[in-house]
Amino acid sequence: MDKKKKTTNYHISFETLVLKPIFKENKMSTQVIEQKQELLVYEKPKSIVVRSLKYYGNTLKNAVILSKEKLGDRHKTPIIVAHDFGVPFIFLPTMSPRSPHNVWISLHGIDDIVPDEMGCIVHLINGTNIKLNASTTTMHRQFTFGVLLEKEFQKKQRRLNRPFFYQQPDIQRKNDDKEEDDDKKES
């Protein structure tokens, strides 16, 4: 890993693995862990998520609503931040997004989740380990919800390539019957 670079105005990308709050002198910053580097961003993690969603054409409220349609009413709902060529970028919150201690973790960035005396350790795909104040059970549940959200997204993407009547064959038969009746009346 490179030394931590310092920046502002960060946007989440497929390289982003973790947004972790850092508290120093009563100010909150964000430790960003990417595939090949770490950054220190002088903003709250939630601010980065909100701005990134806006950048990609969405809002946190809409992302949560979309997730709740599939997952039900949860207070720690994973969200789709963006997508590229049918692949969704899903972020998992470890706590309520309103909590200043919430850590956002990329679904695709998780390699393993193991118990720890103070919560759990998440092993990331780049070899970094991150200790969380969340139970292994909570993180496994968040991971599972993220996978369910990904499957729902992919199902909707497949529907884009189907004709309308392919999805609703009963309507097609009714329309075909009506057209035959209309043809007979015209004859």
mmCIF file of all heavy atoms in Angstrom, residues 133-164:
data_model
loop_
_atom_site.group_PDB
_atom_site.id
_atom_site.type_symbol
_atom_site.label_atom_id
_atom_site.label_comp_id
_atom_site.label_asym_id
_atom_site.label_seq_id
_atom_site.Cartn_x
_atom_site.Cartn_y
_atom_site.Cartn_z
ATOM 1 N N ASN A 133 -16.559 -2.713 15.114
ATOM 2 C CA ASN A 133 -17.345 -2.849 16.325
ATOM 3 C C ASN A 133 -18.751 -3.323 15.944
ATOM 4 O O ASN A 133 -19.749 -2.706 16.275
ATOM 5 C CB ASN A 133 -17.410 -1.514 17.077
ATOM 6 C CG ASN A 133 -18.013 -1.662 18.453
ATOM 7 O OD1 ASN A 133 -18.135 -2.769 18.968
ATOM 8 N ND2 ASN A 133 -18.392 -0.550 19.046
ATOM 9 N N ALA A 134 -18.794 -4.406 15.186
ATOM 10 C CA ALA A 134 -20.047 -5.045 14.759
ATOM 11 C C ALA A 134 -19.817 -6.543 14.854
ATOM 12 O O ALA A 134 -18.706 -7.023 14.578
ATOM 13 C CB ALA A 134 -20.395 -4.640 13.331
ATOM 14 N N SER A 135 -20.847 -7.256 15.224
ATOM 15 C CA SER A 135 -20.690 -8.703 15.390
ATOM 16 C C SER A 135 -20.524 -9.393 14.044
ATOM 17 O O SER A 135 -20.911 -8.870 12.996
ATOM 18 C CB SER A 135 -21.899 -9.284 16.121
ATOM 19 O OG SER A 135 -23.038 -9.265 15.276
ATOM 20 N N THR A 136 -19.951 -10.582 14.096
ATOM 21 C CA THR A 136 -19.813 -11.395 12.896
ATOM 22 C C THR A 136 -21.186 -11.681 12.304
ATOM 23 O O THR A 136 -21.367 -11.624 11.087
ATOM 24 C CB THR A 136 -19.085 -12.720 13.227
ATOM 25 O OG1 THR A 136 -17.862 -12.412 13.884
ATOM 26 C CG2 THR A 136 -18.804 -13.529 11.991
ATOM 27 N N THR A 137 -22.161 -11.960 13.172
ATOM 28 C CA THR A 137 -23.527 -12.232 12.718
ATOM 29 C C THR A 137 -24.097 -11.033 11.967
ATOM 30 O O THR A 137 -24.700 -11.189 10.897
ATOM 31 C CB THR A 137 -24.438 -12.578 13.920
ATOM 32 O OG1 THR A 137 -23.870 -13.691 14.613
ATOM 33 C CG2 THR A 137 -25.845 -12.902 13.476
ATOM 34 N N THR A 138 -23.895 -9.839 12.502
ATOM 35 C CA THR A 138 -24.382 -8.627 11.834
ATOM 36 C C THR A 138 -23.745 -8.476 10.459
ATOM 37 O O THR A 138 -24.428 -8.189 9.469
ATOM 38 C CB THR A 138 -24.087 -7.375 12.690
ATOM 39 O OG1 THR A 138 -24.839 -7.459 13.893
ATOM 40 C CG2 THR A 138 -24.422 -6.094 11.958
ATOM 41 N N MET A 139 -22.447 -8.670 10.379
ATOM 42 C CA MET A 139 -21.762 -8.499 9.096
ATOM 43 C C MET A 139 -22.135 -9.592 8.095
ATOM 44 O O MET A 139 -22.259 -9.321 6.901
ATOM 45 C CB MET A 139 -20.246 -8.431 9.293
ATOM 46 C CG MET A 139 -19.785 -7.138 9.951
ATOM 47 S SD MET A 139 -20.466 -5.631 9.188
ATOM 48 C CE MET A 139 -19.841 -5.760 7.517
ATOM 49 N N HIS A 140 -22.336 -10.811 8.577
ATOM 50 C CA HIS A 140 -22.806 -11.868 7.671
ATOM 51 C C HIS A 140 -24.199 -11.530 7.145
ATOM 52 O O HIS A 140 -24.494 -11.758 5.962
ATOM 53 C CB HIS A 140 -22.816 -13.230 8.362
ATOM 54 C CG HIS A 140 -21.470 -13.866 8.442
ATOM 55 N ND1 HIS A 140 -20.996 -14.456 9.582
ATOM 56 C CD2 HIS A 140 -20.476 -13.999 7.526
ATOM 57 C CE1 HIS A 140 -19.783 -14.932 9.369
ATOM 58 N NE2 HIS A 140 -19.449 -14.656 8.126
ATOM 59 N N ARG A 141 -25.050 -10.996 8.008
ATOM 60 C CA ARG A 141 -26.402 -10.597 7.593
ATOM 61 C C ARG A 141 -26.315 -9.472 6.555
ATOM 62 O O ARG A 141 -26.991 -9.517 5.523
ATOM 63 C CB ARG A 141 -27.235 -10.171 8.792
ATOM 64 C CG ARG A 141 -28.682 -9.838 8.428
ATOM 65 C CD ARG A 141 -29.535 -9.452 9.627
ATOM 66 N NE ARG A 141 -29.058 -8.216 10.220
ATOM 67 C CZ ARG A 141 -28.616 -8.097 11.474
ATOM 68 N NH1 ARG A 141 -28.587 -9.134 12.272
ATOM 69 N NH2 ARG A 141 -28.199 -6.927 11.921
ATOM 70 N N GLN A 142 -25.465 -8.473 6.809
ATOM 71 C CA GLN A 142 -25.302 -7.375 5.857
ATOM 72 C C GLN A 142 -24.790 -7.898 4.512
ATOM 73 O O GLN A 142 -25.253 -7.469 3.459
ATOM 74 C CB GLN A 142 -24.354 -6.310 6.407
ATOM 75 C CG GLN A 142 -24.904 -5.511 7.570
ATOM 76 C CD GLN A 142 -26.174 -4.774 7.210
ATOM 77 O OE1 GLN A 142 -27.276 -5.283 7.398
ATOM 78 N NE2 GLN A 142 -26.028 -3.585 6.673
ATOM 79 N N PHE A 143 -23.842 -8.813 4.569
ATOM 80 C CA PHE A 143 -23.293 -9.403 3.351
ATOM 81 C C PHE A 143 -24.399 -10.138 2.579
ATOM 82 O O PHE A 143 -24.529 -9.973 1.361
ATOM 83 C CB PHE A 143 -22.154 -10.368 3.699
ATOM 84 C CG PHE A 143 -21.446 -10.931 2.500
ATOM 85 C CD1 PHE A 143 -20.418 -10.223 1.894
ATOM 86 C CD2 PHE A 143 -21.808 -12.158 1.973
ATOM 87 C CE1 PHE A 143 -19.757 -10.735 0.781
ATOM 88 C CE2 PHE A 143 -21.157 -12.674 0.873
ATOM 89 C CZ PHE A 143 -20.127 -11.967 0.263
ATOM 90 N N THR A 144 -25.198 -10.921 3.285
ATOM 91 C CA THR A 144 -26.296 -11.657 2.656
ATOM 92 C C THR A 144 -27.307 -10.702 2.025
ATOM 93 O O THR A 144 -27.754 -10.911 0.893
ATOM 94 C CB THR A 144 -26.999 -12.568 3.683
ATOM 95 O OG1 THR A 144 -26.030 -13.482 4.215
ATOM 96 C CG2 THR A 144 -28.144 -13.343 3.055
ATOM 97 N N PHE A 145 -27.666 -9.633 2.743
ATOM 98 C CA PHE A 145 -28.585 -8.650 2.186
ATOM 99 C C PHE A 145 -27.987 -7.996 0.935
ATOM 100 O O PHE A 145 -28.691 -7.727 -0.037
ATOM 101 C CB PHE A 145 -28.951 -7.576 3.215
ATOM 102 C CG PHE A 145 -29.900 -8.041 4.277
ATOM 103 C CD1 PHE A 145 -29.843 -7.500 5.551
ATOM 104 C CD2 PHE A 145 -30.856 -9.003 4.032
ATOM 105 C CE1 PHE A 145 -30.709 -7.910 6.549
ATOM 106 C CE2 PHE A 145 -31.736 -9.432 5.009
ATOM 107 C CZ PHE A 145 -31.662 -8.878 6.271
ATOM 108 N N GLY A 146 -26.689 -7.736 0.959
ATOM 109 C CA GLY A 146 -26.027 -7.166 -0.212
ATOM 110 C C GLY A 146 -26.101 -8.092 -1.418
ATOM 111 O O GLY A 146 -26.356 -7.654 -2.540
ATOM 112 N N VAL A 147 -25.904 -9.385 -1.187
ATOM 113 C CA VAL A 147 -25.983 -10.369 -2.268
ATOM 114 C C VAL A 147 -27.420 -10.437 -2.805
ATOM 115 O O VAL A 147 -27.629 -10.500 -4.029
ATOM 116 C CB VAL A 147 -25.499 -11.760 -1.793
ATOM 117 C CG1 VAL A 147 -25.811 -12.835 -2.814
ATOM 118 C CG2 VAL A 147 -24.004 -11.713 -1.498
ATOM 119 N N LEU A 148 -28.409 -10.409 -1.923
ATOM 120 C CA LEU A 148 -29.813 -10.411 -2.372
ATOM 121 C C LEU A 148 -30.122 -9.165 -3.207
ATOM 122 O O LEU A 148 -30.820 -9.243 -4.222
ATOM 123 C CB LEU A 148 -30.763 -10.491 -1.180
ATOM 124 C CG LEU A 148 -30.783 -11.817 -0.429
ATOM 125 C CD1 LEU A 148 -31.612 -11.692 0.846
ATOM 126 C CD2 LEU A 148 -31.346 -12.920 -1.315
ATOM 127 N N LEU A 149 -29.611 -8.034 -2.793
ATOM 128 C CA LEU A 149 -29.803 -6.797 -3.540
ATOM 129 C C LEU A 149 -29.135 -6.893 -4.916
ATOM 130 O O LEU A 149 -29.706 -6.471 -5.929
ATOM 131 C CB LEU A 149 -29.233 -5.629 -2.746
ATOM 132 C CG LEU A 149 -29.519 -4.225 -3.252
ATOM 133 C CD1 LEU A 149 -31.019 -3.953 -3.328
ATOM 134 C CD2 LEU A 149 -28.852 -3.205 -2.329
ATOM 135 N N GLU A 150 -27.955 -7.483 -4.962
ATOM 136 C CA GLU A 150 -27.256 -7.673 -6.233
ATOM 137 C C GLU A 150 -28.050 -8.575 -7.170
ATOM 138 O O GLU A 150 -28.199 -8.293 -8.356
ATOM 139 C CB GLU A 150 -25.873 -8.270 -5.971
ATOM 140 C CG GLU A 150 -25.047 -8.493 -7.216
ATOM 141 C CD GLU A 150 -23.678 -9.062 -6.882
ATOM 142 O OE1 GLU A 150 -23.579 -9.961 -6.028
ATOM 143 O OE2 GLU A 150 -22.711 -8.596 -7.501
ATOM 144 N N LYS A 151 -28.602 -9.657 -6.635
ATOM 145 C CA LYS A 151 -29.413 -10.578 -7.449
ATOM 146 C C LYS A 151 -30.660 -9.882 -7.998
ATOM 147 O O LYS A 151 -31.028 -10.079 -9.153
ATOM 148 C CB LYS A 151 -29.805 -11.813 -6.642
ATOM 149 C CG LYS A 151 -28.669 -12.774 -6.431
ATOM 150 C CD LYS A 151 -29.148 -14.011 -5.696
ATOM 151 C CE LYS A 151 -28.047 -15.005 -5.572
ATOM 152 N NZ LYS A 151 -27.788 -15.712 -6.804
ATOM 153 N N GLU A 152 -31.307 -9.061 -7.183
ATOM 154 C CA GLU A 152 -32.487 -8.318 -7.637
ATOM 155 C C GLU A 152 -32.106 -7.348 -8.750
ATOM 156 O O GLU A 152 -32.815 -7.228 -9.747
ATOM 157 C CB GLU A 152 -33.118 -7.561 -6.462
ATOM 158 C CG GLU A 152 -34.342 -6.764 -6.830
ATOM 159 C CD GLU A 152 -35.542 -7.606 -7.230
ATOM 160 O OE1 GLU A 152 -35.558 -8.834 -6.978
ATOM 161 O OE2 GLU A 152 -36.484 -7.032 -7.803
ATOM 162 N N PHE A 153 -30.992 -6.659 -8.603
ATOM 163 C CA PHE A 153 -30.522 -5.738 -9.629
ATOM 164 C C PHE A 153 -30.276 -6.490 -10.938
ATOM 165 O O PHE A 153 -30.695 -6.046 -12.009
ATOM 166 C CB PHE A 153 -29.236 -5.042 -9.165
ATOM 167 C CG PHE A 153 -28.644 -4.147 -10.207
ATOM 168 C CD1 PHE A 153 -29.081 -2.842 -10.333
ATOM 169 C CD2 PHE A 153 -27.658 -4.611 -11.068
ATOM 170 C CE1 PHE A 153 -28.539 -2.003 -11.307
ATOM 171 C CE2 PHE A 153 -27.124 -3.791 -12.037
ATOM 172 C CZ PHE A 153 -27.564 -2.482 -12.161
ATOM 173 N N GLN A 154 -29.601 -7.624 -10.861
ATOM 174 C CA GLN A 154 -29.294 -8.396 -12.067
ATOM 175 C C GLN A 154 -30.561 -8.927 -12.726
ATOM 176 O O GLN A 154 -30.649 -8.981 -13.950
ATOM 177 C CB GLN A 154 -28.317 -9.519 -11.729
ATOM 178 C CG GLN A 154 -26.938 -8.985 -11.411
ATOM 179 C CD GLN A 154 -25.999 -10.014 -10.835
ATOM 180 O OE1 GLN A 154 -26.414 -11.058 -10.341
ATOM 181 N NE2 GLN A 154 -24.713 -9.719 -10.878
ATOM 182 N N LYS A 155 -31.551 -9.299 -11.921
ATOM 183 C CA LYS A 155 -32.826 -9.751 -12.469
ATOM 184 C C LYS A 155 -33.486 -8.625 -13.272
ATOM 185 O O LYS A 155 -33.990 -8.837 -14.373
ATOM 186 C CB LYS A 155 -33.755 -10.203 -11.332
ATOM 187 C CG LYS A 155 -35.004 -10.880 -11.818
ATOM 188 C CD LYS A 155 -36.004 -11.299 -10.745
ATOM 189 C CE LYS A 155 -35.517 -11.462 -9.368
ATOM 190 N NZ LYS A 155 -36.572 -11.764 -8.391
ATOM 191 N N LYS A 156 -33.462 -7.416 -12.727
ATOM 192 C CA LYS A 156 -34.043 -6.272 -13.430
ATOM 193 C C LYS A 156 -33.261 -5.961 -14.700
ATOM 194 O O LYS A 156 -33.847 -5.566 -15.711
ATOM 195 C CB LYS A 156 -34.077 -5.048 -12.509
ATOM 196 C CG LYS A 156 -35.119 -5.168 -11.425
ATOM 197 C CD LYS A 156 -35.116 -3.963 -10.517
ATOM 198 C CE LYS A 156 -36.172 -4.101 -9.432
ATOM 199 N NZ LYS A 156 -36.146 -2.957 -8.514
ATOM 200 N N GLN A 157 -31.945 -6.127 -14.673
ATOM 201 C CA GLN A 157 -31.134 -5.887 -15.868
ATOM 202 C C GLN A 157 -31.492 -6.868 -16.976
ATOM 203 O O GLN A 157 -31.540 -6.499 -18.150
ATOM 204 C CB GLN A 157 -29.639 -5.997 -15.536
ATOM 205 C CG GLN A 157 -29.124 -4.896 -14.643
ATOM 206 C CD GLN A 157 -29.222 -3.536 -15.291
ATOM 207 O OE1 GLN A 157 -28.658 -3.283 -16.336
ATOM 208 N NE2 GLN A 157 -29.964 -2.652 -14.659
ATOM 209 N N ARG A 158 -31.757 -8.135 -16.627
ATOM 210 C CA ARG A 158 -32.140 -9.128 -17.637
ATOM 211 C C ARG A 158 -33.478 -8.767 -18.272
ATOM 212 O O ARG A 158 -33.701 -9.023 -19.448
ATOM 213 C CB ARG A 158 -32.200 -10.522 -17.017
ATOM 214 C CG ARG A 158 -30.826 -11.128 -16.770
ATOM 215 C CD ARG A 158 -30.897 -12.593 -16.407
ATOM 216 N NE ARG A 158 -31.628 -12.868 -15.194
ATOM 217 C CZ ARG A 158 -31.123 -12.843 -13.963
ATOM 218 N NH1 ARG A 158 -29.853 -12.557 -13.781
ATOM 219 N NH2 ARG A 158 -31.874 -13.107 -12.914
ATOM 220 N N ARG A 159 -34.373 -8.165 -17.507
ATOM 221 C CA ARG A 159 -35.680 -7.773 -18.046
ATOM 222 C C ARG A 159 -35.564 -6.689 -19.108
ATOM 223 O O ARG A 159 -36.448 -6.545 -19.943
ATOM 224 C CB ARG A 159 -36.594 -7.290 -16.924
ATOM 225 C CG ARG A 159 -37.052 -8.423 -16.042
ATOM 226 C CD ARG A 159 -37.987 -7.932 -14.970
ATOM 227 N NE ARG A 159 -38.283 -9.018 -14.061
ATOM 228 C CZ ARG A 159 -38.540 -8.871 -12.783
ATOM 229 N NH1 ARG A 159 -38.561 -7.672 -12.247
ATOM 230 N NH2 ARG A 159 -38.790 -9.909 -12.025
ATOM 231 N N LEU A 160 -34.490 -5.917 -19.077
ATOM 232 C CA LEU A 160 -34.294 -4.888 -20.090
ATOM 233 C C LEU A 160 -34.174 -5.479 -21.490
ATOM 234 O O LEU A 160 -34.477 -4.821 -22.481
ATOM 235 C CB LEU A 160 -33.024 -4.083 -19.796
ATOM 236 C CG LEU A 160 -33.104 -3.064 -18.685
ATOM 237 C CD1 LEU A 160 -31.719 -2.498 -18.405
ATOM 238 C CD2 LEU A 160 -34.064 -1.949 -19.033
ATOM 239 N N ASN A 161 -33.721 -6.707 -21.597
ATOM 240 C CA ASN A 161 -33.492 -7.344 -22.892
ATOM 241 C C ASN A 161 -34.657 -8.208 -23.352
ATOM 242 O O ASN A 161 -34.523 -8.931 -24.332
ATOM 243 C CB ASN A 161 -32.217 -8.191 -22.824
ATOM 244 C CG ASN A 161 -31.000 -7.344 -22.572
ATOM 245 O OD1 ASN A 161 -30.892 -6.256 -23.120
ATOM 246 N ND2 ASN A 161 -30.106 -7.820 -21.732
ATOM 247 N N ARG A 162 -35.775 -8.146 -22.668
ATOM 248 C CA ARG A 162 -36.934 -8.959 -23.044
ATOM 249 C C ARG A 162 -38.049 -8.059 -23.558
ATOM 250 O O ARG A 162 -38.258 -6.975 -23.041
ATOM 251 C CB ARG A 162 -37.466 -9.730 -21.842
ATOM 252 C CG ARG A 162 -36.511 -10.750 -21.313
ATOM 253 C CD ARG A 162 -37.172 -11.500 -20.192
ATOM 254 N NE ARG A 162 -36.212 -12.390 -19.574
ATOM 255 C CZ ARG A 162 -36.385 -12.942 -18.389
ATOM 256 N NH1 ARG A 162 -37.457 -12.691 -17.696
ATOM 257 N NH2 ARG A 162 -35.489 -13.748 -17.896
ATOM 258 N N PRO A 163 -38.786 -8.554 -24.535
ATOM 259 C CA PRO A 163 -39.965 -7.787 -24.955
ATOM 260 C C PRO A 163 -41.019 -7.799 -23.856
ATOM 261 O O PRO A 163 -41.055 -8.712 -23.021
ATOM 262 C CB PRO A 163 -40.448 -8.526 -26.202
ATOM 263 C CG PRO A 163 -39.785 -9.844 -26.182
ATOM 264 C CD PRO A 163 -38.579 -9.752 -25.311
ATOM 265 N N PHE A 164 -41.873 -6.806 -23.848
ATOM 266 C CA PHE A 164 -42.887 -6.680 -22.809
ATOM 267 C C PHE A 164 -43.751 -7.930 -22.716
ATOM 268 O O PHE A 164 -44.016 -8.428 -21.632
ATOM 269 C CB PHE A 164 -43.777 -5.464 -23.072
ATOM 270 C CG PHE A 164 -44.900 -5.336 -22.089
ATOM 271 C CD1 PHE A 164 -44.649 -4.885 -20.800
ATOM 272 C CD2 PHE A 164 -46.197 -5.672 -22.435
ATOM 273 C CE1 PHE A 164 -45.667 -4.772 -19.880
ATOM 274 C CE2 PHE A 164 -47.224 -5.558 -21.517
ATOM 275 C CZ PHE A 164 -46.956 -5.105 -20.240
#
